[in-house]
Amino acid sequence: MAFPTTRLRRLRKTAGIRNMVRETSLSVHDLIMPIFVTHGTNVMEPITSMPDVYHFSLDNLNDEVDRIAALGIPAIILFGVPDHKDATGSSAYDHNGIVQQATRQVKARHPELVVIADTCLCQFTDHGHCGVVHVHEVNGHQIGEVDNDASLAYLTQAAVAQAEAGADIIAPSNMMDGFVHAIRAGLDEAGYQDVPIMSYSVKYASAFYGPFRDAAHSTPQFGDRKAYQMDPANVREALREAEADVVEGADMLMVKPALAYMDVLRLLKDQFDLPLVAYNVSGEYSMVKAAAAQGWINEKEIVSEMLLGMKRAGADLIITYFAKDMAEWLQKP
């Protein structure tokens, strides 16, 4: 029936009614907080392009993790910034690597906190790519290309080392073909059949990663990552990427970035029944922080609407640098 019999504003009249009929909600249990860990002592180094985000050495990590746990945030994802880089990213799969050390420390202090280990080589390689590089000559010029199949062995070693250290979830972000299959097989062979894989299934070659690359010191030394990360123009390809990961044994799927790819989130939610993760990435974070610092926007309202939109689009979980702020806002609406 039409107006005046139907008046849609009736269910918007009061806060109480709006709360009763709200279709989508955001909870602290939806949030995952990223942490950058590094070597050294007494390091709490601000990341200039990401206000209120820091590099933490292990001796300063406990205070950060204590705060996260106290806010009720259920999970963190660890990114390592090593003191040694080489061609194969050996610090990534070193059993005493920085991510492995941080994992053991966090699990000893907060066993209930879910530790997710980002599994990639880009922070650990001297060339900054997500896999090992094969150099060959073309017309007298040295050309470096990421060797997909050779990279899988190193990524699998990294995943096993992270699981041995106590990581609850392995989150491979490298976008090599076959990475889920290789890591699943490696984990199973090492006795970690129960460790789930949160796959960066649909990771675009995005301009929104700039601040993260500053934070992780992972900018490629040559070329770019467009040959293995997805073209932002493509959406049907996202289904092929996600389907491959499902077949290979992924337990969760991810879309990265989130804000410009809400349609992709919805597509994967409608097509697959695995838990879906949205990564609210560094560029999205820094844009909001910059505008809020100028007084142009209300940060709390913008962040709340943005994260709620990701949930509405289909995300079950959200990795976000706003996790601590959002947890506090949820406690004090």
Side-chain angles (χ1 to χ4, degrees), residues 262-299:
M262 297 284 202
D263 58 324
V264 183
L265 279 167
R266 173 45 55 189
L267 182 66
L268 264 63
K269 186 68 171 181
D270 290 341
Q271 293 293 323
F272 304 101
D273 59 2
L274 295 183
L276 183 60
V277 184
Y279 199 142
N280 176 212
V281 299
S282 60
E284 299 165 0
Y285 173 86
S286 297
M287 289 191 305
V288 171
K289 282 291 187 180
Q294 294 295 321
W296 297 336
I297 60 171
N298 181 307
E299 181 176 345

Side-chain angles (χ1 to χ4, degrees), residues 82-97:
D83 58 1
H84 167 74
K85 299 190 178 192
D86 56 32
T88 63
S90 61
S91 294
Y93 49 87
D94 184 336
H95 291 273
N96 204 37

Side-chain angles (χ1 to χ4, degrees), residues 75 102 131 179:
F179 69 95

Side-chain angles (χ1 to χ4, degrees), residues 1 8 24 75 93 101 107 112 148 253 266 297 328:
M1 301 183 69
L8 300 177
T24 307
Y93 49 87
Q101 290 185 56
K107 292 304 293 185
E112 80 289 349
N148 186 98
L253 304 176
R266 173 45 55 189
I297 60 171
E328 290 181 345

Side-chain angles (χ1 to χ4, degrees), residues 100-167:
Q100 287 81 334
Q101 290 185 56
T103 298
R104 288 191 287 267
Q105 180 172 315
V106 172
K107 292 304 293 185
R109 189 173 181 88
H110 289 284
E112 80 289 349
L113 194 64
V114 175
V115 174
I116 304 167
D118 177 80
T119 307
C120 196
L121 299 182
C122 60
Q123 303 102 292
F124 304 94
T125 54
D126 52 15
H127 47 73
H129 278 282
C130 301
V132 295
V133 171
H134 171 67
V135 178
H136 59 281
E137 188 170 302
V138 177
N139 298 326
H141 298 284
Q142 296 292 313
I143 303 296
E145 293 182 356
V146 174
D147 188 328
N148 186 98
D149 294 8
S151 301
L152 297 178
Y154 296 107
L155 292 162
T156 300
Q157 291 180 55
V160 171
Q162 292 166 342
E164 288 175 348

